[in-house]
C-alpha cells in the first residue's frame, strides 16, 4: 500500500485538517516516516567500521528491521533467535490447507502506522482492510450484552444507547484532554503544541487508571453505570477495552490520539510475511556490501541460536554466548527480545545497565492474550437467513467467554477462517490451561447461545489453532502495557538509546522492540525503537546521520519525552 506519508507541513490555516493522522508519538514526536523516506538515508559509519559485526538479539519485527538497516549502512548484523523469525508477527498455517493462515500475534495494522507501512511497501506486500466491528468491509456486527443482541450493518443501526456511550467517550476526550487540539497538532506535526499539551497530560494523569479517567469525567458521570459498563464492552475502535481498565490512561490516550485503533489493514498471506520478507530482502541502495546482499545472506541463511548470556567482553565490547556455547564479542548489540528475558532467561551482566534501568525493565507490565482459530469450508456468514433477512453470522462482540469473534475470508467458494475468540488479561487467563479442542468447544457453546439456529461446528474443517502468549517462555505475555505511575520507567527505557552521557560500562547495548516503545501492542513501536537503536549504534561506532536528515538522537534535546521528578 502506498500512502501519502511525506506531505509537506501546512502553510495556510485550515489546511491541517486534510493532513493524515499518523502515529507521531506525543512523548517523542519525531517523524520516523519522513526520516525513512529521506533520499539521503539514515547516515554513515567511518570507512574503517564498514563490515563491523553488530549483534541483534531477537528476530521479531524490531530485530529484523534493525538488522536490515544495519546492512544498508554497511554493517554486518549477526542475528540471534531462540525460536522462529517473526516474533509476535507469527503466522500459523492450517495443516490441512497450507495457505489458509491464522495471525497469532499482530494481525491488524493501523494506516496511521506510517513507519510500519514503509517496510510493508519495501517488501511489496499486499494488504486488505481488516474486518473490525462496524468497519466498512465488515458485512455485519452483532453486539450481545447480558443476553440481548443488537445486529448492525452500520453504527446507525444500533439503539441510541450505544450512540450515547460513544458520545460520552468523545466528550470526555474533548473536555478532559483537549482531544481536538492534540489531533490537529499531530496532523500538522506541530511539535511545540503537541509537547505543550501532552507534557501537561503526562504530569496530571500518569497515576490515573483508564477506569478512573472514565468514572471521573463529567461526560460519564452524567450517564448511568450501564454506560460505563457498555463502554468497557464495546469501547472504541476495535471493541471492548475493559481488560485495560486498570492500566494507565496515558496508554489509552496515545492510542486514540494517533488513531492506532482505527482503519486497520491485514497482510495478505499473514503478518509474518513482513519479517520473513525483510530477512531475505536485498536493498537496492547498499553501502559496502555487493549488490544482492541480504540479512539472510550475511547470516548464512539462518539466525544464530538462543542467547544464554550477555556480558562485557575482554575487548571492552559486548560478549554474547549462545545456549550451545558459541561465543562472540561485538562492539555493539541491539537487544530486541522481551525485556524480562534479560533477567529471567539470559544471564545478563548487571553492570551493563544502571540500577534504575533494571527497575524499569522489571516493572514492565505485560498483557496476556489468547486467540483460537478454526478453518471452515467456506465463508458461510455471507449467507442471508431468509427468515430475518440478516447475515447468518456476524462479527461479534459479547460479554460471554469469546469476547470478540472475527470472520476472515479471501473470497467465496474457498476455505475461510473464524477467529472464534480474541481476548486479553482475565479473559485470556480463563483459557490458559485448556487445549485447542477444549477452547473451541467453549467458544462454540457460547456462540450457540447467541446464534441458536446456526450450526457453526458443521462447517469446521481441519484442526483448531490456538495461542496463549503468556505460556511461551520467550514472551511471557502478549505486549507491554504501563500501569499507573509507570511513566518514569517507560521514559528510561525509551531514552536509553541516547548513551553519550552514560558511564562507559553502560554503553553498547541498545534496547528495542515493542516493550521499549510508548505504544506497546502496535508494531509501529517495534519499528521506531529499532530505528532508535540503529541510530545509537551508528553513533557508538563513531558514525553520524546523513546531512539534512537528522535522526532521533540528533533531535533529542528538542523532542525528548518529559522527565518527571
Ligand atoms: N494492537 C493490538 C490489537 O489490535 C493489541 C491492542 C490491544 N492493546 C491493549 N492495550 N489492550 O489487537
Amino acid at each position: 500500500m502506498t500512502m501519502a506519508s511525506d506531505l509537506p507541513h501546512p502553510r495556510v490555516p485550515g489546511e491541517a485538517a486534510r493532513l493524515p493522522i499518523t502515529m507521531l508519538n506525543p512523548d517523542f514526536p519525531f517523524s520516523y516516516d519522513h526520516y525513512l523516506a529521506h533520499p539521503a538515508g539514515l547516515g554513515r559509519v567511518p570507512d574503517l567500521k564498514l563490515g563491523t559485526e553488530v549483534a541483534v538479539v531477537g528476530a521479531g519485527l524490531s530485530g529484523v528491521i534493525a538488522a536490515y538497516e544495519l546492512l544498508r549502512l554497511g554493517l554486518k548484523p549477526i542475528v540471534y533467535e531462540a525460536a522462529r523469525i517473526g516474533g509476535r508477527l507469527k503466522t500459523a498455517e492450517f495443516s490441512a490447507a497450507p495457505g489458509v493462515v491464522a495471525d497469532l500475534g499482530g494481525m491488524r495494522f493501523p494506516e496511521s502506522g506510517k513507519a510500519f507501512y514503509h517496510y510493508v511497501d519495501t517488501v511489496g506486500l499486499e494488504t486488505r482492510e481488516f474486518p473490525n466491528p462496524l468497519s466498512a468491509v465488515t458485512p455485519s456486527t452483532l453486539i450481545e450484552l447480558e443476553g440481548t443482541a443488537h445486529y448492525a450493518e452500520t453504527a446507525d443501526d444500533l439503539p441510541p444507547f450505544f450512540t450515547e456511550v460513544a458520545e460520552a467517550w468523545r466528550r470526555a476526550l474533548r473536555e478532559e484532554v483537549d482531544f481536538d487540539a492534540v489531533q490537529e497538532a499531530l496532523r500538522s506535526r506541530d511539535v511545540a503544541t503537541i509537547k505543550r499539551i501532552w507534557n501537561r497530560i503526562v504530569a496530571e494523569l500518569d497515576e490515573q487508571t483508564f477506569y478512573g479517567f472514565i468514572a471521573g469525567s463529567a461526560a460519564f458521570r452524567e450517564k448511568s453505570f450501564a454506560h460505563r459498563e457498555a463502554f468497557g464492552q464495546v469501547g472504541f475502535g476495535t471493541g471492548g477495552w475493559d481488560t485495560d481498565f486498570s492500566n494507565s490512561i496515558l496508554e489509552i490516550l496515545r492510542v486514540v490520539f494517533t488513531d492506532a485503533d482505527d482503519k486497520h489493514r491485514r497482510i495478505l498471506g499473514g503478518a509474518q510475511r513482513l519479517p520473513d520478507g525483510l530477512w531475505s530482502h536485498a536493498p537496492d541502495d547498499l553501502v559496502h556490501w555487493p549488490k544482492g546482499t541480504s540479512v539472510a545472506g550475511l547470516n548464512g541463511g539462518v539466525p544464530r541460536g538462543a542467547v544464554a548470556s550477555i556480558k562485557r567482553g575482554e575487548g571492552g565490547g559486548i560478549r554474547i554466548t549462545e545456549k550451545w556455547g558459541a561465543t562472540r564479542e561485538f562492539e555493539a548489540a541491539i537487544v530486541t527480545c522481551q525485556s524480562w528475558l534479560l533477567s529471567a532467561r539470559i544471564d545478563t551482566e548487571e553492570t551493563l545497565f544502571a540500577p534504575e534501568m533494571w527497575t524499569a525493565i522489571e516493572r514492565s507490565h505485560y498483557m496476556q492474550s489468547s486467540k483460537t482459530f478454526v478453518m471452515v469450508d467456506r465463508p458461510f456468514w455471507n449467507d442471508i437467513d431468509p427468515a430475518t433477512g440478516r447475515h447468518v453470522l456476524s462479527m461479534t462482540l459479547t460479554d460471554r467467554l469469546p469476547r470478540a469473534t472475527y470472520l476472515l475470508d479471501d473470497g467465496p467458494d474457498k476455505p475461510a477462517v473464524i477467529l472464534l475468540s480474541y481476548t486479553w488479561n482475565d479473559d485470556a487467563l480463563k483459557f490458559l490451561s485448556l487445549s485447542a479442542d477444549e477452547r473451541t468447544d467453549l467458544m462454540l457453546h457460547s456462540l450457540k447461545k447467541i446464534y441458536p439456529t446456526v450450526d457453526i461446528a458443521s462447517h469446521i474443517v481441519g484442526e483448531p489453532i490456538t495461542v496463549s502468549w503468556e505460556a511461551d517462555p520467550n514472551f511471557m505475555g502478549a505486549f507491554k502495557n504501563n500501569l499507573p505511575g509507570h511513566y518514569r520507567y517507560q521514559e528510561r527505557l525509551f531514552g536509553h538509546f541516547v548513551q553519550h552521557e552514560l558511564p562507559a560500562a553502560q554503553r553498547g547495548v541498545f534496547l528495542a522492540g515493542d516493550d521499549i516503545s510508548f505504544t506497546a501492542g502496535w508494531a509501529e513501536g517495534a519499528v521506531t525503537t529499532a530505528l532508535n537503536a540503529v541510530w545509537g549504534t551508528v553513533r557508538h561506532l563513531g558514525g553520524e546521520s546523513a546531512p539534512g536528515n537528522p535522526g532521533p538522537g540528533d533531535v533529542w534535546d528538542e523532542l525528548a519525552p518529559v522527565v518527571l521528578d
Side-chain angles (χ1 to χ4, degrees):
M1 186 179 64
T2 307
M3 291 175 301
S5 56
D6 45 2
L7 289 170
H9 288 224
R11 303 235 146 58
V12 289
E15 197 181 344
R18 295 201 304 274
L19 293 169
I21 290 280
T22 62
M23 282 185 79
L24 186 64
N25 195 277
D27 302 274
F28 182 65
F30 177 73
S31 287
Y32 290 92
D33 53 345
H34 293 178
Y35 177 55
L36 285 168
H38 199 289
L42 302 191
R44 50 173 291 280
V45 294
D47 289 350
L48 265 174
K49 297 287 183 185
L50 288 168
T52 300
E53 290 189 347
V54 175
V56 177
V57 178
L61 185 63
S62 199
V64 169
I65 284 178
Y68 179 82
E69 295 299 347
L70 293 172
L71 157 76
R72 280 183 66 214
L73 289 157
L75 296 166
K76 185 173 183 187
I78 300 298
V79 180
Y80 292 84
E81 172 53 53
R84 168 172 156 178
I85 289 170
R88 280 167 294 151
L89 294 190
K90 180 172 183 173
T91 302
E93 283 185 325
F94 285 91
S95 47
V100 179
V101 295
D103 279 330
L104 302 185
M107 64 176 180
R108 50 183 178 188
F109 305 94
E111 285 182 9
S112 59
K114 302 291 184 195
F116 174 84
Y117 280 104
H118 167 86
Y119 292 100
V120 170
D121 289 344
T122 299
V123 178
L125 298 173
E126 253 190 276
T127 65
R128 292 266 192 289
E129 221 176 298
F130 187 90
N132 273 325
L134 299 169
S135 80
V137 289
T138 305
S140 59
T141 301
L142 192 117
I143 300 177
E144 197 243 15
L145 301 176
E146 295 189 337
T148 304
H150 305 280
Y151 174 88
E153 296 187 4
T154 70
D156 297 339
D157 299 337
L158 291 172
F161 172 72
F162 291 97
T163 316
E164 286 167 27
V165 170
E167 191 38 53
W169 172 236
R170 274 195 293 271
R171 206 187 122 195
L173 290 173
R174 274 200 305 271
E175 292 178 355
E176 313 292 329
V177 289
D178 223 351
F179 183 76
D180 296 330
V182 175
Q183 279 219 327
E184 165 98 16
L186 287 171
R187 283 182 197 281
S188 55
R189 309 200 187 210
D190 173 356
V191 299
T193 304
I194 295 169
K195 290 195 75 69
R196 182 169 45 77
I197 305 177
W198 180 252
N199 291 357
R200 192 193 67 223
I201 293 173
V202 168
E204 277 170 15
L205 293 179
D206 170 43
E207 290 172 318
Q208 177 63 289
T209 63
F210 182 19
Y211 190 76
F213 175 83
I214 296 295
S217 68
F220 275 97
R221 268 198 326 252
E222 288 168 16
K223 300 282 174 207
S224 66
F225 178 74
H227 287 79
R228 300 198 276 285
E229 189 179 34
F231 176 72
Q233 313 273 14
V234 294
F236 55 86
T238 58
W241 278 70
D242 49 6
T243 45
D244 278 70
F245 270 166
S246 53
N247 295 331
S248 165
I249 181 61
L250 297 181
E251 297 289 274
I252 303 297
L253 295 178
R254 293 187 185 97
V255 172
V256 292
F257 281 155
T258 61
D259 282 358
D261 215 36
D262 281 311
K263 298 209 187 89
H264 287 171
R265 305 184 69 81
R266 66 192 167 101
I267 294 176
L268 280 195
Q272 187 159 352
R273 288 208 171 171
L274 181 57
D276 281 349
L278 286 166
W279 168 256
S280 50
H281 185 78
D284 47 24
D285 52 356
L286 280 168
V287 173
H288 178 68
W289 302 110
K291 197 172 152 48
T293 307
S294 65
V295 174
L298 291 180
N299 283 266
V302 283
R304 304 290 322 169
V307 169
S309 83
I310 304 179
K311 307 254 155 142
R312 182 63 64 187
E314 273 157 27
I318 307 297
R319 193 178 78 224
I320 306 241
T321 305
E322 292 172 46
K323 178 179 165 194
W324 298 107
T327 291
R328 256 194 240 204
E329 187 171 329
F330 300 88
E331 282 188 54
I334 295 181
V335 174
T336 71
C337 59
Q338 209 272 30
S339 57
W340 283 350
L341 297 179
L342 289 172
S343 56
R345 302 258 294 169
I346 297 171
D347 177 12
T348 305
E349 190 158 331
E350 204 161 299
T351 50
L352 286 172
F353 299 105
E356 61 270 23
M357 273 296 288
W358 281 113
T359 307
I361 290 169
E362 296 304 341
R363 288 309 104 217
S364 296
H365 173 64
Y366 286 84
M367 298 281 284
Q368 294 105 19
S369 179
S370 96
K371 287 180 176 175
T372 300
F373 297 86
V374 289
M375 178 166 64
V376 290
D377 47 14
R378 65 183 180 86
F380 63 94
W381 44 83
N382 292 319
D383 297 353
I384 303 290
D385 178 346
T388 60
R390 295 175 171 185
H391 298 283
V392 296
L393 186 64
S394 306
M395 188 286 141
T396 305
L397 295 176
T398 174
D399 52 8
R400 296 177 195 271
L401 285 177
R403 294 303 311 267
T405 301
Y406 295 86
L407 309 174
L408 304 154
D409 70 88
D410 283 321
D413 312 319
K414 278 192 218 164
V417 172
I418 305 181
L419 171 46
L420 287 173
S421 169
Y422 173 24
T423 58
W424 297 320
N425 278 15
D426 288 359
D427 289 327
L429 283 178
K430 293 169 190 170
F431 315 122
L432 181 55
S433 63
L434 303 184
S435 70
D437 284 358
E438 286 168 327
R439 294 179 188 197
T440 301
D441 276 337
L442 275 183
M443 306 315 169
L444 290 175
H445 176 83
S446 291
L447 289 168
K448 194 83 199 168
K449 302 278 182 198
I450 308 174
Y451 302 96
T453 62
V454 187
D455 189 359
I456 299 174
S458 69
H459 289 279
I460 297 177
V461 288
E463 292 300 315
I465 293 177
T466 196
V467 65
S468 287
W469 284 99
E470 48 280 12
D472 186 324
N474 292 316
F475 296 100
M476 301 187 274
F479 44 86
K480 190 265 309 286
N481 213 289
N482 292 318
L483 294 171
H486 277 197
Y487 175 83
R488 289 167 179 81
Y489 305 144
Q490 179 61 63
E491 184 269 323
R492 278 175 218 164
L493 292 170
F494 184 85
H496 180 252
F497 76 99
V498 182
Q499 299 193 346
H500 49 271
E501 284 172 9
L502 291 182
Q506 290 169 17
R507 291 192 208 166
V509 177
F510 298 90
L511 301 177
D514 179 66
D515 52 5
I516 302 307
S517 90
F518 275 103
T519 46
W522 273 269
E524 185 78 354
V527 177
T528 53
T529 53
L531 296 171
N532 290 349
V534 168
W535 181 91
T537 303
V538 167
R539 171 86 189 239
H540 187 74
L541 296 175
E544 60 196 7
S545 296
N549 193 24
D554 300 312
V555 293
W556 188 252
D557 290 343
E558 185 199 345
L559 298 184
V562 63
V563 177
L564 301 181
D565 61 51

